[in-house]
């Protein structure tokens, strides 16, 4: 998978796994990582799927309707990439926090839905529920930050509530931050994520 790795200055800080939104690249979220944990090592990965020329992490059948078979395959692909990258770049595999936006947040949530111990925590900006009707792994006390927009046309508030409930039922410690905006990333939600990260990991 096409990616960028940057070694951090704080060996105690978890690695940030950066996962862009539809049409983004592996450089998009580098400024966010500086705002959230400037001392962390960073692994920023480009999605392997193209939709009308725009990189994504998995296919979808239409807006908001995921290709579930491809989602499962691509989630395993990303999980395996993390395993190999930890050896190549010498980072602790059990100290990885995902930072994802939109499609990137969805694949990060899918990692948690499918693989126990895949992440030490996650910052999910405007995520959706990746899959329904499956048993989640144990996520006991796993810190998860969700940023959502009350007027998000792609990810309605009910979707955020459902994801929050599913993660909490699996044991995760979820904090939901609401903005009065749509699907866009805002500075205030990134600042809230940075404060949350400091409390939970530094």
């Amino acid at each position: 998978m096409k990616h960028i790795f940057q070694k951090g200055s704080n060996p105690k800080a978890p690695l940030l796994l950066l996962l862009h939104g539809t049409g983004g690249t592996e450089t998009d979220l580098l400024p966010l990582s500086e705002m959230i944990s400037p001392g962390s090592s960073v692994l920023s990965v480009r999605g392997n799927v193209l939709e009308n020329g725009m990189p994504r992490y998995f296919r979808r059948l239409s807006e908001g309707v995921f290709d579930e078979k491809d989602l499962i395959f691509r989630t395993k692909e990303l999980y395996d990439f993390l395993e190999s990258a930890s050896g190549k770049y010498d980072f602790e595999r059990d100290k990885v926090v995902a930072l994802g936006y939109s499609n990137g947040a969805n694949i990060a949530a899918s990692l948690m839905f499918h693989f126990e111990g895949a992440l030490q925590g996650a910052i999910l900006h405007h995520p959706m529920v990746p899959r329904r009707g499956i048993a989640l792994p144990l996520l006991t006390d796993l810190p998860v930050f969700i940023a959502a927009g009350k007027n998000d046309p792609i990810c309605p508030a009910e979707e955020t509530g459902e994801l929050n409930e599913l993660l909490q039922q699996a044991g995760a410690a979820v904090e939901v931050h609401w903005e009065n905006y749509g699907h866009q990333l805002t500075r205030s939600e990134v600042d809230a994520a940075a404060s949350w990260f400091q409390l939970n990991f530094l």
Side-chain angles (χ1 to χ4, degrees):
M1 300 186 78
K2 190 166 185 181
H3 65 280
I4 294 169
F5 176 78
Q6 295 178 349
K7 185 75 173 174
S9 59
N10 181 0
K12 294 183 179 178
L15 175 134
L16 286 178
L17 170 66
L18 306 186
L19 302 164
H20 62 75
T22 298
T25 71
E26 64 276 18
T27 63
D28 279 21
L29 299 186
L30 292 174
L32 264 68
S33 69
E34 282 293 316
M35 295 165 69
I36 287 170
S37 182
S40 282
S41 293
V42 168
L43 180 65
S44 189
V45 183
R46 182 186 294 195
N48 263 354
V49 171
L50 288 178
E51 180 181 275
N52 300 319
M54 298 184 296
R56 282 176 55 85
Y57 292 99
F58 56 89
R59 295 187 184 95
R60 57 184 170 182
L61 305 176
S62 61
E63 183 75 60
V65 182
F66 301 157
D67 181 333
E68 194 166 287
K69 185 176 179 181
D70 192 61
L71 171 63
I72 294 166
F73 175 80
R74 299 296 175 180
T75 302
K76 177 70 161 58
E77 179 182 55
L78 181 57
Y79 180 83
D80 290 344
F81 175 74
L82 283 172
E83 295 289 314
S84 62
S86 66
K88 180 178 180 180
Y89 296 117
D90 193 30
F91 62 82
E92 293 181 62
R93 179 60 189 86
D94 61 350
K95 290 183 66 179
V96 174
V97 175
L99 167 56
Y101 166 60
S102 193
N103 181 239
N106 295 339
I107 195 78
S110 187
L111 279 172
M112 293 187 287
F113 270 49
H114 289 97
F115 297 104
E116 187 171 352
L119 298 171
Q120 188 188 14
I123 296 171
L124 308 176
H125 292 280
H126 305 269
M128 297 176 70
V129 176
R131 288 188 69 194
R132 292 174 170 87
I134 64 168
L136 272 63
L138 285 176
L139 303 175
T140 308
D141 297 328
L142 187 82
V144 179
F145 179 90
I146 297 175
K150 291 181 179 177
N151 301 301
D152 191 332
I154 297 171
C155 179
E158 296 78 18
E159 183 99 11
T160 302
E162 184 182 352
L163 179 60
N164 178 24
E165 187 174 334
L166 289 169
L167 290 169
Q168 288 202 32
Q169 286 173 355
V174 185
E175 179 175 324
V176 180
H177 173 84
W178 289 100
E179 294 277 329
N180 291 314
Y181 296 102
H183 198 64
Q184 72 269 34
L185 268 170
T186 67
R187 176 60 189 258
S188 52
E189 74 185 62
V190 175
D191 287 344
S195 297
W196 173 89
F197 188 91
Q198 292 278 331
L199 283 172
N200 283 277
F201 296 105
L202 299 178

